[in-house]
Amino acid sequence: VNFAQGEMAMFSTFIAWSLIHHGFSYWEAFSLTIAISFLGGVAVERVVIRPVESAPVLTVVIVTLGLFFVVNGAARWIWSPETRSLPNAFSTKPIDVGGVAFSIQDLGTIAVSLGAVALLWLFFRFTKLGLASRAAAVNREASRLLGVRVSWMLALGWGLAAAMGAVSGMLTAPALASFDQNLMQPVLLYAFAGAVLGGIDSPFGAVVGSLILGVLVNLIGTYVDWVGTELRLPVALGVILGVLLIRPAGLFGKPAARRV
């Protein structure tokens, strides 16, 4: 688990803001930021994570926590704590379908998100590099014996995670009136809660779990008066706690079995 994932996404969003501020269109900045973020993710893995690659999991977790503060502080130093805003990627006008109003911006965000998920699935399922990445994640030693360059597969994973984080940040920021260096912290908590609900080791479960969580939190916030908009995040944290107590593997995860 990379606890700096949200801060890396926030940093990418500020890069996109800088590009747009210097004359790039939204989608030009979108594409260029994804490329920059991918290279940045690979560089972070090579410089920061690789020296502790074989260390215990707790050591790597502590390193990513340190990375959280470094990236957040760097963003404040470069761009200052002032709030910024990104232009909307899609039209803000609603459309009416059968008497139901839909937000074009929300539909566009969902479409881009599902497109990114589909591309990742195709990559990991049908490409040699994607299969090598999966093998390296499941069994490093066996993968090395088969000729897989495990260390570079881990760097590729960090690059892809950084690129997907950039997509998340650039789709989140336009929906807000303004954003600062705390942009992705609540988003990361919601995402983690959705992944835990669906199954932390199931990509499909993470998508379904996040959709269920989003609907659940909004329904509770709308119809439970004392929750409102202020207590929606604690509801997500409550979901994490409940799932870990009742079904730690999540809805679609596979329970770990140990042979005695």
Side-chain angles (χ1 to χ4, degrees), residues 45-243:
E45 196 282 333
R46 295 283 86 185
V47 175
V48 179
I49 303 301
R50 189 182 182 190
V52 295
E53 187 177 297
S54 301
V57 173
L58 184 59
T59 301
V60 181
V61 168
I62 293 173
V63 169
T64 63
L65 283 172
L67 187 61
F68 173 100
F69 293 106
V70 169
V71 174
N72 188 281
R76 292 178 185 274
W77 177 63
I78 295 171
W79 288 286
S80 79
E82 296 177 11
T83 58
R84 305 290 198 279
S85 62
L86 278 183
N88 289 302
F90 304 95
S91 172
T92 56
K93 293 181 179 180
I95 57 175
D96 187 275
V97 179
V100 179
F102 291 90
S103 166
I104 295 178
Q105 183 173 358
D106 288 344
L107 293 177
T109 298
I110 293 172
V112 173
S113 301
L114 292 179
V117 170
L119 287 175
L120 279 180
W121 179 79
L122 291 171
F123 171 75
F124 285 120
R125 181 69 176 82
F126 295 107
T127 70
K128 184 177 180 180
L129 195 59
L131 292 173
S133 300
R134 291 169 60 192
V138 173
N139 193 321
R140 296 185 184 184
E141 296 306 320
S143 299
R144 285 192 177 98
L145 292 175
L146 293 172
V148 175
R149 301 181 68 179
V150 171
S151 184
W152 277 106
M153 292 302 101
L154 297 177
L156 174 64
W158 272 74
L160 289 174
M164 292 299 101
V167 172
S168 177
M170 289 185 289
L171 292 177
T172 298
L176 306 174
S178 61
F179 67 93
D180 58 12
Q181 283 77 13
N182 298 320
L183 166 68
M184 295 302 292
Q185 291 174 16
V187 176
L188 188 65
L189 288 174
Y190 283 121
F192 187 67
V196 170
L197 176 61
I200 201 70
D201 61 346
S202 170
F204 174 77
V207 175
V208 175
S210 297
L211 289 172
I212 293 174
L213 179 73
V215 173
L216 176 66
V217 168
N218 278 283
L219 287 175
I220 292 176
T222 301
Y223 293 104
V224 180
D225 294 335
W226 58 270
V227 173
T229 58
E230 291 78 13
L231 295 179
R232 291 185 183 186
L233 189 57
V235 169
L237 296 175
V239 170
I240 295 178
L241 180 61
V243 172

Side-chain angles (χ1 to χ4, degrees), residues 8 12 33-46 155 158-159 162:
M8 293 170 66
S12 297
T33 300
I34 290 176
I36 294 172
S37 300
F38 176 83
L39 295 175
V42 172
V44 167
E45 196 282 333
R46 295 283 86 185
W158 272 74

